[in-house]
Amino acid sequence: MTAAGVVALVLLLAIAAYACAGGTDYGAGFWDLTAGGAERGKRPRWLIDHAMAPVWEVNNVWLIFVLVIMWTGFPVFFRTVFVAMWLPLALAIVGIVLRGAGFALRKPARRLAGRRLYGAVFAIASLLTPFFLGAAVGGIASGRVSPGTAASVANWANPTSLLFGLLAIAMTAFLGAVFLAGDARRFGAPDLDGHFRRRALFALAAVAVLTVVMLFVTHGDAPHVWHGLTHGVGLALVVLAAVAALATGWSLLGTAEARWSRSSAVVAVAAGVFAWGLAQRPYLVPVSLTVADGAGATTTLRWLMLVTVVAVVLVFPAVAYLYWLDTHGALEPLTDADLRSSAGDDA
């Protein structure tokens, strides 16, 4: 495999990591938006706050890694995408900023009106951000952009883009509900476990329906990607995603703790992302920009591979350990009772 091919694979890995890690957070925001009024949604929102607090910032590490690889490793691809898709990408970036601000400010806000405002900003941005990112990906997959393409609404407001955007929302909702159900079990809240299990199954059904519709639409609107998804390694990954999704649904329907549901849900989403990425081979933008043509200088690609190795050794284990600590309840915030107990011990 060439240096450009290796870096392209690293880029796809980073996108899959962001889709799974960041997607889980976006999904939590989706369920925050649909939790209901102040009284009915109080407990689900309490769980969302406690589940997201330790890791919501670190998930953007994957997005930064994606942007750095695109910018340095594939400058032609970076320029093409950000010129032709600047509006949806700008809206997604604004959504990321507003989402973070809303989540950070809604809990310490003293007034109820302020908490509701910041909560609404967090929840709405959690819905719109994955949609615009998915719409941009759909525009790329359908081949509507190429080097020199001017910005246009048609680049991202088309059947494939709209379906990719809706599928991104459904996938994040699915991941968010699965992980929140696991957190509910960890917190000993069986009612919230059932609450989010049902929503995970609903989101899984939405993902299945949108995936079938997408295959029909891409047949005529994105033929190169459709062919890649229905043949060879792309088809194998689609089958893997379907099997992992069915395993997740079976686990959620069971009466046991469904301890493997998180892993199978991540496999389902990651396999779906890889299916799309490999279906585009050998193109970064079907069918106008190949991986080789969009790659930067060979020296730059080699440095990127070295940086990736350093990140694998130093950064990724730390991030993985943080996720492990969070999912095993080792990062719980101190309560008033803990602080009073500590004060009494010191005395």
Side-chain angles (χ1 to χ4, degrees), residues 167-347:
L167 189 58
I169 293 174
M171 282 186 171
T172 58
F174 167 60
L175 280 173
V178 169
F179 273 75
L180 287 168
D183 285 320
R185 293 189 293 275
R186 176 160 57 87
F187 282 109
D191 60 321
L192 291 177
D193 180 18
H195 175 92
F196 284 111
R197 282 201 199 201
R198 291 189 295 272
R199 280 151 179 78
L201 291 168
F202 174 79
L204 179 57
V207 169
V209 171
L210 288 169
T211 300
V212 172
V213 174
M214 181 194 68
L215 288 174
F216 279 104
V217 170
T218 54
H219 182 270
D221 199 47
H224 182 85
V225 169
W226 177 85
H227 184 272
L229 291 173
T230 54
H231 295 80
V233 67
L235 177 59
L237 287 166
V238 169
V239 172
L240 174 61
V243 170
L246 288 173
T248 307
W250 179 265
S251 180
L252 292 169
L253 285 169
T255 57
E257 289 190 358
R259 65 180 60 188
W260 299 110
S261 59
R262 287 179 167 180
S263 299
S264 57
V266 168
V267 170
V269 172
V273 172
F274 268 90
W276 154 69
L278 295 180
Q280 294 194 171
R281 294 179 305 164
Y283 297 101
L284 292 168
V285 180
V287 286
S288 60
L289 183 65
T290 65
V291 171
D293 291 338
T298 302
T299 302
T300 302
L301 296 175
R302 288 173 178 168
W303 275 105
L304 271 178
M305 288 190 288
L306 177 61
V307 169
T308 300
V309 171
V310 173
V312 167
V313 174
L314 298 179
V315 179
F316 296 164
V319 175
Y321 184 53
L322 175 63
Y323 288 149
W324 186 90
L325 289 174
D326 179 47
T327 55
H328 287 75
L331 299 176
E332 300 301 328
L334 291 175
T335 64
D336 291 340
D338 294 328
L339 294 174
R340 286 196 295 270
S341 176
S342 298
D345 294 340
D346 292 340

Side-chain angles (χ1 to χ4, degrees), residues 87-101 121 125 129 132:
L87 182 56
L89 292 174
L91 291 173
I93 292 171
V94 171
I96 291 171
V97 173
L98 291 178
R99 181 179 177 276
V121 169
T129 300
F132 286 120

